[in-house]
Amino acid sequence: MDQIPSSSAAQPTEQKSPETPQPPSTATPPAPPLSTDHTATPTPTLKPPTITPQSQTTRPPFNTRPWQQQPYSHFSLPSPPLPSSSSSPGGIAIGVPAPSPPPPPPASFSSLAPPSYGTQQSQIRQPMQGIGMASSIRPGGVSLNQLRPSHSSLRPQSGPTSQSPSSQNFQGQGMLRMSTLGSSNSPSPSSSQNPHAQNQPWLSSGNQGKPPLPTPTLRPQTSSQSFQQRSHISQQHHHNTPATTQQQSITSSQQLPQTSGSGQLQENYGQQFPPSRIQHQQQITRGPGVGSQRPPLGTSQSSPFHSGPPSKTPIVENEESSTRIVTKRSIQDIVNQIDPSEKLDPEVEDILADIAEDFVESITTFGCSLAKHRKSSILEAKDILLHLERNWNMTLPGFGGDEIKLYKKPFVSDVHRERLAAIRKSSVATDTTTKNQGGPSAGNAKGHMAKGPANIIGSPT
Amino acid sequence: MSTGPSSKVKVGSSQPSEASLKSKRGMFRKDLHHMMYGFGDDANPLPETVALVEDIVVEYVTNLVHKAEDVATKRGNLFAKDFLFLIRKDLPKLNRCTELLSLDEDIKQAKKITWRDED
């Protein structure tokens, strides 16, 4: 709907564009999912304007990946589930998980309908979009957190601040470092700065790094948006000094949380966690869905979601395992199975976990749609199996039951059959004529034959 | 073609077809049991494992037959060469199949000769 156009137009009026949360990824036009998301979000001020330029620049490479276009790559690259995505599953999907918004900006956030939340999520999940996931619920920690604040930025500014620290907790280590580093230009501990440098290139090239995911046409915007947001935010941190931006426009508001958070971080990288953790916990308690969606990217930093008392740094792993579908440990185990000597960067692990989460979410969403289509309120294995088989070209033996796979003869229209018959007749006639007349006439016969079928083919039109 | 009978069975009455299918669940159980042992599994593989492998086999054969029908649709009949065409890229399988087919031919010839001799 107007999301895309508004987003583009929104650039100049970041805050004003009410429904243009997502920066119009140059990539595409996934109207349906975005529109649904859009409508859901009442105050989308998701850093549209600032991010857009970046997204635009980064977007093209994103979509041009060859593997993106392959429908059946082995990995969960989806043959873009266009049909599924086109039907407002995007919107529905977004709404389904309905992770409750975090408490702090809660007023603003909670007021948002689930779809809005999902919308934000989808926007943030831009990188995951490639996989065709429904609006991923769990955006990168940074982006999501920032989004929230931005949404709530319309409301209290304090919200974002509180969120920013939590958001940072959410982010994976890599991203978190980036944001913190970016924001903390100052004397943050050398350790934080080092990762910053490393992360920076990651961020800048993040678009390329993140999207080795095929971006389904339907969800390009959300993915791009989320991605843009991330990159944008991280960059913003670099440029913004802490504690300055809260008052700024919404676009900056997105970054505000980070900047404010970063300010805290600057003081002490480690210390930041406790306060953010607390806030994080608050947010988490708000919505279990949210918590699950926001698996803390930074294992070291995230605090246990469910533990009441603010946890210290070490507790991160528990939290992550309780909220994540795929823990980092399991990813490492899988990698070990492939190659014992292989090592993955933390950002890569984070992204893989995000991808897994998005995948599960999209699959479940579509499965629910199929179950609903079946007029059943129970999600059964066959729904999931059908979706995987048709859209992802994945077969899961052992769950199919006794259902027979019927074979449909390829449909042949009447016209086609007539033409085939005519060709056969002409070919038979040609053969007879060639036999009778011998070689020399063969050429003529063939010519006639060609003309014959051509006439027949042409006439029926 | 194969689709005819299967579709008729399915459409006509779901129950009988399901029943027949269920009864045919363990069609390859015994053979697979030994084959799995031959390929390295335990002498007594788990029934669930055998069931899973059977599902995989049935699924593979089903897909292969569907593709063969697609290939042979113009001709209208299904021949062994359609299947050979489909596995043309898989050399081990292809060679094994051609070997088995040739052996089958030899056996038939031998039987004919035997019968003739007997006569």
Side-chain angles (χ1 to χ4, degrees):
Chain A
M1 301 343 186
D2 56 335
Q3 285 188 1
I4 299 173
S6 60
S7 57
S8 53
Q11 295 185 12
T13 61
E14 315 161 4
Q15 306 163 5
K16 294 171 188 179
S17 60
E19 299 292 304
T20 56
Q22 302 133 14
S25 49
T26 51
T28 35
L34 293 183
S35 57
T36 51
D37 295 347
H38 236 17
T39 51
T41 8
T43 59
T45 47
L46 303 179
K47 40 188 133 196
T50 49
I51 299 183
T52 338
Q54 298 174 2
S55 62
Q56 291 172 354
T57 54
T58 53
R59 251 355 234 162
F62 189 124
N63 291 332
T64 53
R65 301 282 160 163
W67 39 253
Q68 290 177 356
Q69 291 140 15
Q70 288 178 13
Y72 301 125
S73 57
H74 144 69
F75 187 43
S76 47
L77 299 185
S79 56
L82 294 181
S84 56
S85 49
S86 55
S87 52
S88 68
I92 297 177
I94 296 173
V96 164
S100 56
S108 55
F109 211 19
S110 52
S111 62
L112 298 179
S116 62
Y117 182 84
T119 326
Q120 300 170 7
Q121 303 284 357
S122 57
Q123 298 169 2
I124 298 174
R125 288 307 279 164
Q126 150 198 350
M128 308 310 158
Q129 294 300 345
I131 303 188
M133 317 248 180
S135 57
S136 55
I137 296 187
R138 191 220 157 257
V142 179
S143 53
L144 176 59
N145 291 324
Q146 297 177 354
L147 283 185
R148 289 209 193 135
S150 58
H151 284 278
S152 58
S153 63
L154 301 186
R155 319 300 158 70
Q157 297 274 337
S158 58
T161 4
S162 60
Q163 296 212 337
S164 55
S166 59
S167 61
Q168 293 173 351
N169 287 339
F170 287 105
Q171 296 176 4
Q173 292 186 356
M175 300 208 314
L176 183 54
R177 284 193 214 139
M178 292 192 306
S179 59
T180 55
L181 294 178
S183 54
S184 62
N185 301 330
S186 63
S188 38
S190 59
S191 61
S192 60
Q193 293 196 353
N194 291 336
H196 169 62
Q198 298 165 3
N199 294 335
Q200 282 271 308
W202 179 89
L203 259 194
S204 52
S205 63
N207 293 337
Q208 297 155 9
K210 274 215 168 168
L213 311 175
T215 344
T217 54
L218 295 183
R219 310 217 198 239
Q221 292 191 3
T222 55
S223 58
S224 58
Q225 291 168 2
S226 59
F227 186 82
Q228 295 164 4
Q229 290 169 359
R230 283 192 193 169
S231 53
H232 183 64
I233 293 174
S234 58
Q235 294 183 8
Q236 293 285 341
H237 294 302
H238 304 315
H239 303 302
N240 295 333
T241 54
T244 51
T245 50
Q246 292 211 347
Q247 315 288 332
Q248 292 173 7
S249 61
I250 295 175
T251 51
S252 59
S253 67
Q254 297 167 351
Q255 303 138 15
L256 286 184
Q258 293 223 346
T259 52
S260 58
S262 61
Q264 300 176 16
L265 293 175
Q266 291 179 3
E267 298 174 2
N268 189 332
Y269 193 67
Q271 290 176 0
Q272 173 206 357
F273 294 100
S276 53
R277 216 174 286 118
I278 297 175
Q279 296 168 351
H280 181 75
Q281 289 173 358
Q282 292 172 0
Q283 298 175 3
I284 294 171
T285 51
R286 267 319 155 115
V290 176
S292 60
Q293 293 173 355
R294 322 223 41 246
L297 289 181
T299 50
S300 59
Q301 302 163 2
S302 55
S303 54
F305 277 87
H306 307 295
S307 62
S311 54
K312 297 172 187 179
T313 355
I315 303 183
V316 179
E317 314 236 343
N318 298 343
E319 179 182 14
E320 176 159 346
S321 58
S322 65
T323 55
R324 282 226 167 173
I325 290 174
V326 176
T327 60
K328 293 204 169 186
R329 184 69 205 139
S330 52
I331 292 175
Q332 287 162 7
D333 289 341
I334 292 171
V335 170
N336 276 342
Q337 288 176 17
I338 298 170
D339 184 359
S341 62
E342 184 75 28
K343 292 285 180 265
L344 289 181
D345 290 341
E347 294 97 348
V348 174
E349 290 173 357
D350 291 340
I351 289 179
L352 286 175
D354 289 350
I355 290 172
E357 205 175 331
D358 286 341
F359 176 73
V360 171
E361 187 186 328
S362 72
I363 294 293
T364 315
T365 301
F366 198 88
C368 290
S369 305
L370 287 177
K372 186 178 164 188
H373 180 72
R374 214 171 19 99
K375 296 180 185 111
S376 156
S377 63
I378 302 172
L379 178 65
E380 292 177 8
K382 50 185 174 183
D383 301 318
I384 306 287
L385 286 171
L386 179 65
H387 177 52
L388 286 176
E389 184 183 335
R390 298 303 242 115
N391 299 114
W392 291 75
N393 197 30
M394 279 195 222
T395 49
L396 300 176
F399 294 99
D402 293 329
E403 287 138 17
I404 313 174
K405 269 183 238 173
L406 294 181
Y407 172 74
K408 287 184 190 174
K409 279 206 173 184
F411 169 68
V412 179
S413 66
D414 297 337
V415 181
H416 187 65
R417 267 187 244 131
E418 289 170 16
R419 293 175 190 163
L420 290 176
I423 291 170
R424 267 181 244 132
K425 282 181 207 165
S426 58
S427 66
V428 168
T430 308
D431 290 341
T432 53
T433 52
T434 49
K435 283 176 197 169
N436 297 338
Q437 302 169 14
S441 58
N444 298 338
K446 284 177 193 169
H448 293 313
M449 180 181 73
K451 286 179 197 167
N455 293 340
I456 295 166
I457 291 170
S459 55
T461 352
Chain B
M1 294 276 283
S2 56
T3 50
S6 64
S7 54
K8 282 176 201 163
V9 169
K10 188 73 173 173
V11 171
S13 51
S14 58
Q15 291 175 357
S17 64
E18 287 173 5
S20 64
L21 266 188
K22 282 172 190 167
S23 68
K24 288 178 190 167
R25 205 64 223 265
M27 253 168 63
F28 302 120
R29 196 176 53 82
K30 288 178 186 165
D31 301 319
L32 280 178
H33 184 112
H34 298 301
M35 285 174 78
M36 285 167 76
Y37 178 48
F39 276 98
D41 198 352
D42 189 73
N44 290 317
L46 280 177
E48 292 87 359
T49 314
V50 178
L52 176 64
V53 176
E54 184 186 346
D55 280 350
I56 296 171
V57 168
V58 168
E59 183 188 327
Y60 174 75
V61 171
T62 307
N63 287 338
L64 198 65
V65 170
H66 288 181
K67 287 186 196 161
E69 287 194 36
D70 287 336
V71 167
T73 196
K74 189 164 184 186
R75 198 189 315 121
N77 298 330
L78 200 57
F79 288 148
K81 53 185 173 180
D82 298 322
F83 290 94
L84 290 176
F85 171 75
L86 287 172
I87 59 174
R88 67 193 184 281
K89 295 281 174 72
D90 189 350
L91 280 177
K93 276 205 201 93
L94 182 65
N95 291 333
R96 177 68 178 154
C97 282
T98 47
E99 176 192 350
L100 289 172
L101 286 171
S102 62
L103 282 177
D104 192 45
E105 291 290 329
D106 293 343
I107 292 172
K108 281 184 195 167
Q109 296 291 335
K111 283 184 185 168
K112 273 188 201 168
I113 295 170
T114 311
W115 283 114
R116 249 181 261 135
D117 289 347
E118 285 180 4
D119 296 340

